[in-house]
């Protein structure tokens, strides 16, 4: 059992490490984006689909990180204070994704069939006309602006209050964050749900599922928890001064959250499948039928095993959650399987008969990810690594697993 840790000095300096990762991420990101844009010129639909998957993956990590910060504030949690800045920083990268969304808007006609339908069948044409008030590029862009405004506004407000509290030691900032976080959780759930409808579900505009947004949100949140676990285990395995204040009990708690929301993701996935199966409606069945046959069937089986069954039973182990290498391995796997899950959700809309593997999948992932990682490290280096002004920091430092 871990003992209490010493309260950090009030003048804890800003984080000065990670320069190599920052530079490497920026260079890799720029190169990856340039190659992806070249791919868009050669094979626009294929490259844009690759870019969409990468964009959704990295955006989900940022939105999920802010969700975790708000959830802990709303619950009045104290254990997480020493690791909270990781989530605040990841969320603060959201303005970068506003810029990264522009290529999707410019190439919208190659991604979403409803933007510029070419000789659609009569039934499909009638359905698109019926949905035109919602599925039109102007309103689509306005909705995207609203989503980013909500996400960025809450992310930057929470981080700003936390940073100001480092200087003032004013507990009112904690009270403010705890008041606004429940509101933010409701807004995030609604906006991410509609973003999933707009950016993923509308790839097949005749299909609908009311629970799909929650399924996508749950996947993003699980991935963000995996990222936090990976960061925590990395810090605890290093010689960083942070290793003295982020304990095995903090790591254990992060692992327990990963276990809990892995089960929640499985519940969302099963609920969607059950509702489609019970309804047995042609317009709902199309999506799941395509993804459970042919080349996509093994991918679906891999997701069931890799996104739920295997990590769930592994994470039941207390020893695994308290072992940095073991938890890091599970967390890294969860991030990989989340990418596969997004791939499985997006790519069959382009061609249900083949996997559609293309070199731009790699360049887009590195491009978007490199820029996001570089932005995150730049922001992390601009502040103290833990919220030294939080009134519950000492409670977090003394936290011991019950």
């Amino acid at each position: 059992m871990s003992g209490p840790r010493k309260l950090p000095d009030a003048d804890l300096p800003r984080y000065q490490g990670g320069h190599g990762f920052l530079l490497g991420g920026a260079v890799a990101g720029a190169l990856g984006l340039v190659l992806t844009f070249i791919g868009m010129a050669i094979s626009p639909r294929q490259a844009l689909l690759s870019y969409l998957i990468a964009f959704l993956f990295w955006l989900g990590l940022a939105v999920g990180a802010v969700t975790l910060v708000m959830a802990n504030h709303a619950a009045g949690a104290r254990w997480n204070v020493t690791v909270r800045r990781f989530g605040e920083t990841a969320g603060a990268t959201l303005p970068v994704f506003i810029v990264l969304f522009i290529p999707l808007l410019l190439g919208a006609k190659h991604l979403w069939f409803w933007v510029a339908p070419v000789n659609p069948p009569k039934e499909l044409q009638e359905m698109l006309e019926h949905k035109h008030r919602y599925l039109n590029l102007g309103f689509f862009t306005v909705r995207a602006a609203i989503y980013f405004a909500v996400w960025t506004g809450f992310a930057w407000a929470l981080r700003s209050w936390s940073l100001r509290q480092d200087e003032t030691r004013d507990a009112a900032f904690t009270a403010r964050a705890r008041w606004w976080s429940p509101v933010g959780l409701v807004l995030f759930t609604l906006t991410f749900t509609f973003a999933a409808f707009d950016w993923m579900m509308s790839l097949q505009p005749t299909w609908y599922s009311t629970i799909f947004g929650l399924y996508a949100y749950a996947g993003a949140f699980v991935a963000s928890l995996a990222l936090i676990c990976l960061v925590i285990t990395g810090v605890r395995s290093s010689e960083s001064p942070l290793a003295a204040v982020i304990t095995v009990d903090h790591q254990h708690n992060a692992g327990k959250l990963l276990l809990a929301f892995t089960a929640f993701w499985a519940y969302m996935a099963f609920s969607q499948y059950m509702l489609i199966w019970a309804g047995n409606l042609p317009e709902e069945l199309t999506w799941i039928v395509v993804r459970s046959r042919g080349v996509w069937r093994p991918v679906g089986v891999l997701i069931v095993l890799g996104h739920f069954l295997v990590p769930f039973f592994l994470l039941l182990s207390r020893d695994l959650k308290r072992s940095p290498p073991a938890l890091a391995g599970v967390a890294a796997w969860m991030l990989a399987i989340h990418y596969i899950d997004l791939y499985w959700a997006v790519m069959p809309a382009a061609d249900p008969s083949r996997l559609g593997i293309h070199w731009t999948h790699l360049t887009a992932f590195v491009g978007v990810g490199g820029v996001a990682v570089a932005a995150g490290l730049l922001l992390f280096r601009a502040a103290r690594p833990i919220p030294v002004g939080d009134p519950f920091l000492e409670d977090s430092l003394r936290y011991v697993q019950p």
Side-chain angles (χ1 to χ4, degrees):
M1 182 176 291
S2 302
R5 294 296 189 270
K6 181 182 177 182
L7 187 68
D9 183 73
D11 294 323
L12 185 71
R14 294 177 179 179
Y15 178 70
Q16 298 298 317
H19 179 73
F21 285 106
L22 193 159
L23 181 61
V27 172
L31 182 60
L33 289 177
V34 168
L35 291 174
T36 304
F37 295 152
I38 292 173
M40 290 179 188
I42 300 171
S43 303
R45 180 163 174 75
Q46 182 64 59
L48 280 162
L49 285 166
S50 303
Y51 187 85
L52 176 64
I53 296 170
F55 179 85
L56 291 170
F57 178 88
W58 291 102
L59 172 70
L61 295 182
V63 172
V66 184
T67 302
L68 179 61
V69 172
M70 291 191 297
N72 280 302
H73 277 310
R78 302 183 180 187
W79 72 270
N80 70 304
V81 174
T82 58
V83 300
R84 195 180 71 216
R85 188 124 305 159
F86 300 139
E88 292 173 346
T89 303
T93 63
L94 279 164
V96 172
F97 291 94
I98 299 174
V99 178
L100 292 172
F101 188 70
I102 294 174
L104 295 175
L105 285 179
L106 295 177
K109 67 179 182 180
H110 298 290
L111 270 176
W112 296 287
F113 175 78
W114 51 265
V115 174
V118 179
N119 299 323
K122 182 179 179 181
E123 296 80 4
L124 179 57
Q125 179 65 38
E126 291 175 353
M127 185 170 290
L128 290 177
E129 290 176 358
H130 178 70
K131 295 183 176 183
H132 181 69
R133 289 186 178 181
Y134 186 84
L135 286 182
N136 63 82
L137 193 57
F139 190 28
F140 176 89
T141 305
V142 170
R143 291 196 302 273
I146 293 172
Y147 306 151
F148 282 114
V150 171
W151 300 337
T152 304
F154 274 90
W156 275 78
L158 291 169
R159 183 173 183 270
S160 174
W161 296 337
S162 183
L163 296 182
R164 288 168 64 187
Q165 191 176 56
D166 286 350
E167 307 303 326
T168 65
R169 305 300 195 266
D170 186 352
F173 288 112
T174 295
R176 190 180 302 174
R178 290 188 171 186
W179 194 93
W180 279 103
S181 287
V183 177
L185 288 172
V186 173
L187 291 175
F188 267 51
T189 301
L190 290 172
T191 52
F192 201 91
T193 293
F194 279 92
F197 291 165
D198 288 354
W199 303 341
M200 298 173 70
M201 194 184 339
S202 75
L203 289 165
Q204 295 174 255
T206 60
W207 176 70
Y208 66 89
S209 167
T210 54
I211 204 171
F212 180 75
L214 292 176
Y215 169 81
Y217 196 12
F221 187 62
V222 170
S224 68
L225 285 171
L227 177 63
I228 295 296
C229 287
L230 202 58
V231 172
I232 289 173
T233 55
V235 168
R236 295 198 64 250
S237 300
S238 69
E239 298 181 356
S240 168
L242 285 177
V245 295
I246 299 177
T247 70
V248 68
D249 296 292
H250 296 122
Q251 175 187 309
H252 189 178
N253 238 25
K256 290 198 299 183
L257 284 173
L258 183 59
L259 167 64
F261 282 94
T262 294
F264 178 75
W265 173 89
Y267 175 70
M268 288 293 102
F270 172 75
S271 296
Q272 177 171 258
Y273 181 84
M274 179 192 67
L275 290 172
I276 292 174
W277 175 81
N280 198 31
L281 300 174
E283 58 268 30
E284 293 184 3
L285 285 172
T286 305
W287 192 87
I288 197 68
V289 167
V290 167
R291 288 159 179 78
S292 58
R293 292 181 177 176
V295 295
W296 296 106
R297 183 181 181 88
V299 182
V301 172
L302 173 63
I303 292 170
V304 171
L305 294 174
H307 210 312
F308 172 59
L309 289 175
V310 173
F312 177 80
F313 285 106
L314 287 175
L315 288 167
L316 288 174
S317 168
R318 175 184 173 88
D319 291 339
L320 183 145
K321 292 193 287 287
R322 297 176 75 85
S323 166
L327 182 60
V330 174
W333 169 255
M334 294 300 290
L335 288 169
I337 204 70
H338 176 56
Y339 182 88
I340 294 172
D341 185 30
L342 289 172
Y343 193 99
W344 179 79
V346 169
M347 289 304 295
D351 188 344
S353 64
R354 61 190 186 91
L355 294 177
I357 297 173
H358 193 260
W359 59 270
T360 53
H361 287 295
L362 176 60
T363 61
F365 182 84
V366 172
V368 177
V371 171
V373 169
L377 284 170
L378 189 65
L379 289 166
F380 193 70
R381 286 163 56 93
R384 293 184 175 92
I386 62 174
V388 295
D390 193 288
F392 301 114
L393 176 58
E394 190 168 356
D395 293 333
S396 179
L397 292 165
R398 293 174 176 172
Y399 176 76
V400 176
Q401 276 286 317

